């Protein structure tokens, strides 16, 4: 490709609204342009990167024995009604009506579509297991699209779905996908950390996310030598005993007169209360009220702990969860900022729960359910003690569930996800195949996603410097950039000869033949991050030596071009091989 015929609209200045390095560099390097919130045009150089990532994913999926399909992005709502997700997906799903006023979904994911299709084509246990996938566009109306293509509203995903006769077969494919994902990310030059993830309230039995460690990550990972999980899933293990006060028989909850009243003028938060009373927040019992589709939920949790909403949602088996309003506090006979888990009115299906941290003390200071009032000496009943559950968010420094010391917190960006789905969809679609005794059985499913655009952006997050992108050779828009600094027509012709020779050898090259100052073209080459740069300057035209520079190391050398440029071509191929060698998957 000649740069003079190829459009790479680079920007000299940093774009205004790009907060993170990858977004900034993708805009500056002319890989993408913004169209609207969470919507990006892919320009030719950006699309070349996307295609290379897709091809790595495709090769590795095919190698694992999976089959590629392509299903419509537009999905009749009927399929989503069958699974029940028409009602539970909420506002993240784009819904469109066609001219016949029939509702359709712009697919955010394709469990329904693939289950529907597989139901039609799979007949017998002999057809199982299968793993089917596509690399295609997804739509999600994200609340907060941000960081460029890392969280956008339209993006490309590789989504795979496997179908099995039994758990053991599902586990085989799940393990195969783990290896496949490792290979994919290694080949793309992306360092990832696989962590255990939440598998939801619905039937899932195993889930792992592939995380790219990054300051800008929205996920928090908690890691030890033997334990790696997403914060949303990590159980909280207490150094303190959970037996405090267990021996005091308390069949009944305390009434207000059983406790000592404390005036707490204008105190609203746990931090203010701890400061006012000159106690540690771990001596206070915090009250949190949520509204779900089933009604109100009141949770008592130690003052130094926060609720893990994923755990809470799973425990309640609810799909909607939001902080309750001031009116809700009123309704249950309490008040925002001074609520306590006793003497509450049972309206709106009120459920009172305690986090395990509420077992670490025999008595608590908590809200008095009246403005500016707290109470001292609150206790949990025996029943409340018995039914306390882990609803707290684990944090840096908490004991590792594997028993190997404290957990370390780290931020990460999720690029891939593998998940044992169970029978949720096959049951909803009444999908069966015949077993060896000709009896119908319901297949078990797994699903496996990789975000293609997000992978592109995270590669840049991990691999850039002050000059621009430093592409791993496997996903670079071009492997080689040829810059020619010519003055005469003969020199121009000689550069053309070199370019032709490169093409003949199948070198993936962009020839920057533009009529621009060398400095401008060098800057562009560094911004675009081509792994190998070949410069044809004075030395070449006079003495037959080309300059060869490696973007990653900055190393530069003069190479004797040789007859028919064979010396130069050989050296390029040697470096290319070396750079690919670094990206070789470790089980190949
Ligand atoms: P997140 O928690 O980041 O919203 P998710 O759990 O919704 O991700 P999945 O449904 O598991 O994501 O989708 C599989 C993959 O698709 C993710 O691992 C990610 O790489 C990619 N992905 C998901 N949402 C987006 C998005 N809005 N923009 C770009 N890529 C996305
Ligand atoms: Mg999401």
């Amino acid at each position: 490709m000649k740069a003079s015929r190829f459009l790479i609209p680079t920007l000299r200045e940093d774009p205004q609204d790009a907060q993170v390095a990858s977004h900034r560099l993708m805009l500056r390097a002319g890989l993408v342009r913004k169209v609207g919130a969470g919507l990006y045009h892919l320009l030719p150089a950006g699309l070349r990167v996307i295609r290379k990532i897709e091809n790595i994913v495709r090769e590795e999926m095919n190698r694992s024995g999976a089959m590629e399909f392509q299903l419509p992005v537009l999905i009749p709502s009927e399929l989503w009604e069958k699974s029940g997700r028409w009602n539970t997906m909420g506002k993240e799903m784009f819904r469109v009506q066609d001219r016949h006023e029939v509702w359709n979904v712009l697919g955010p994911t394709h469990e329904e579509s693939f289950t529907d299709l597989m139901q039609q084509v799979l007949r017998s246990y002999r057809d199982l297991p299968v793993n089917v996938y596509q690399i295609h566009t997804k739509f999600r109306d994200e609340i907060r699209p941000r960081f460029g293509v890392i969280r956008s509203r339209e993006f490309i995903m590789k989504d795979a779905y496997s179908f099995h006769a039994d758990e053991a077969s599902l586990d085989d494919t799940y393990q195969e996908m783990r290896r496949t994902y490792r290979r994919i990310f290694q080949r793309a030059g992306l360092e990832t950390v696989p962590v255990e993830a939440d598998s939801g309230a619905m039937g899932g039995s195993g889930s792992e996310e592939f995380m790219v460690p990054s300051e800008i990550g929205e996920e928090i990972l908690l890691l030890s030598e033997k334990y790696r999980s997403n914060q949303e899933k990590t159980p909280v293990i207490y150094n303190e005993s959970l037996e405090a006060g267990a021996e005091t028989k308390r069949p009944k909850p305390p009434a207000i007169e059983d406790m000592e009243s404390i005036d707490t003028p204008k105190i609203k938060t746990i931090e203010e209360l701890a400061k006012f009373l000159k106690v540690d927040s771990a001596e206070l019992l915090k009250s949190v009220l949520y509204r779900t589709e089933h009604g109100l939920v009141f949770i008592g949790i130690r003052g130094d702990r926060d609720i893990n909403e994923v755990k809470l949602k799973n425990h309640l088996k609810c799909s909607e969860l939001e902080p309750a309003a001031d009116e809700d506090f009123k309704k249950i006979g309490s008040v925002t900022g001074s609520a306590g888990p006793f003497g509450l009115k049972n309206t709106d299906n009120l459920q009172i729960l305690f986090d395990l941290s509420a077992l670490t003390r025999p008595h608590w200071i908590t809200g008095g359910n009246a403005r500016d009032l707290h109470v001292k000496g609150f206790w949990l009943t025996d029943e409340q003690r018995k039914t306390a559950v882990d609803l707290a968010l684990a944090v840096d420094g908490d004991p590792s569930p594997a028993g190997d010391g404290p957990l370390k917190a780290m931020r990460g960006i999720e690029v891939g996800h593998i998940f044992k789905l169970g029978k949720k969809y096959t049951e909803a679609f009444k999908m069966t195949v015949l077993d060896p005794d000709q009896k119908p059985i319901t297949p078990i499913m797994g699903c496996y996603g990789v975000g293609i655009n997000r992978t592109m952006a995270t590669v840049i997050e991990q691999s850039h410097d002050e000059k621009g992108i430093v592409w791993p050779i496997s996903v670079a828009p071009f492997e080689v950039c040829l810059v020619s600094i010519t003055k005469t027509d003969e020199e121009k012709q000689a550069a053309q000869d070199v370019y032709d020779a490169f093409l003949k050898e199948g070198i993936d090259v962009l020839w920057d033949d533009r009529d621009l100052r060398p400095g401008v073209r060098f800057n562009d080459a560094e911004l675009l991050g081509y792994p190998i740069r070949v410069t044809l300057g004075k030395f070449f035209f006079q003495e037959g030596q080309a300059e060869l520079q490696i973007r990653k190391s900055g190393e530069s050398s003069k190479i004797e071009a040789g007859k028919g440029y064979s010396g130069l071509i050989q050296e390029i191929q040697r470096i290319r091989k070396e750079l690919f060698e670094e990206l070789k998957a470790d089980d190949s």
Side-chain angles (χ1 to χ4, degrees), residues 27-246:
L27 289 167
R28 280 196 54 203
L31 305 180
V32 301
R33 279 285 168 93
K34 188 170 173 171
V35 201
L39 294 172
Y40 290 86
H41 297 299
L42 273 173
L43 276 60
L47 187 59
R48 287 178 72 92
V49 176
I50 289 285
R51 291 287 180 256
K52 287 189 180 181
I53 297 171
E54 286 178 353
N55 277 335
I56 292 174
V57 171
R58 180 173 287 115
E59 278 174 26
E60 292 301 333
M61 289 302 291
N62 292 349
R63 177 190 164 107
S64 79
M67 279 170 288
E68 186 170 3
F69 286 66
Q70 195 163 96
L71 275 49
V73 169
L74 193 68
I75 312 169
S77 64
E78 196 190 320
L79 295 186
W80 290 77
E81 274 157 15
K82 250 190 194 172
S83 70
R85 288 208 287 185
W86 178 254
N87 294 320
T88 57
M89 280 295 278
K91 291 187 176 161
E92 198 167 297
M93 191 154 79
F94 278 105
R95 300 158 203 252
V96 288
Q97 245 183 346
D98 63 23
R99 62 168 72 197
H100 305 293
E101 294 180 9
V102 173
W103 283 101
N104 295 274
V105 167
L106 289 178
T109 173
H110 279 71
E111 282 82 1
E112 282 80 358
S113 298
F114 269 105
T115 308
D116 177 61
L117 174 59
M118 289 301 117
Q119 177 173 37
Q120 298 168 46
V121 299
L122 301 177
R123 299 260 159 260
S124 133
Y125 73 97
R126 282 195 198 88
D127 299 331
L128 301 180
V130 288
N131 193 6
V132 295
Y133 78 96
Q134 62 176 347
I135 300 176
H136 210 4
T137 305
K138 299 279 184 263
F139 289 88
R140 293 185 185 182
D141 198 358
E142 300 279 356
I143 305 185
R144 254 172 263 105
R146 56 189 199 144
F147 299 160
V149 302
I150 290 182
R151 185 170 297 286
S152 54
R153 298 198 300 163
E154 178 182 328
F155 57 96
I156 305 167
M157 196 201 290
K158 183 283 295 176
D159 49 325
Y161 308 86
S162 65
F163 295 80
H164 309 268
D166 55 43
E167 282 288 342
S169 162
L170 169 60
D171 196 55
D172 278 349
T173 300
Y174 185 83
Q175 299 304 339
E176 180 65 41
M177 282 298 103
R178 278 179 95 180
R179 288 189 290 273
T180 299
Y181 275 34
R182 241 186 108 76
R183 295 180 55 87
I184 288 171
F185 295 125
Q186 281 179 342
R187 286 186 56 189
L190 197 57
E191 185 206 325
T192 58
V193 181
V195 299
E196 276 181 49
D198 174 60
S199 35
M202 310 291 240
S205 58
S207 167
E208 254 169 302
E209 289 163 341
F210 286 74
M211 297 287 189
V212 176
S214 165
E215 285 297 317
I216 65 154
E218 291 175 288
E219 310 287 331
I220 294 177
L221 323 180
L222 290 168
L223 311 172
S224 70
E225 200 67 42
K226 294 188 199 150
Y227 186 83
R228 287 154 182 268
S229 96
N230 190 318
Q231 185 185 38
E232 64 181 26
K233 149 110 186 182
T234 319
V236 178
I237 312 285
Y238 291 89
N239 282 324
E240 307 87 337
S241 159
L242 297 183
E243 296 300 314

Side-chain angles (χ1 to χ4, degrees), residues 566-583:
S566 58
L568 178 58
I569 287 168
Q570 259 174 33
E571 184 59 9
I572 291 171
Q573 281 166 341
R574 188 189 66 78
I575 293 170
R576 179 183 184 274
K577 203 170 153 209
E578 231 174 67
L579 292 174
F580 267 107
E581 201 66 29
E582 289 171 17
L583 303 171

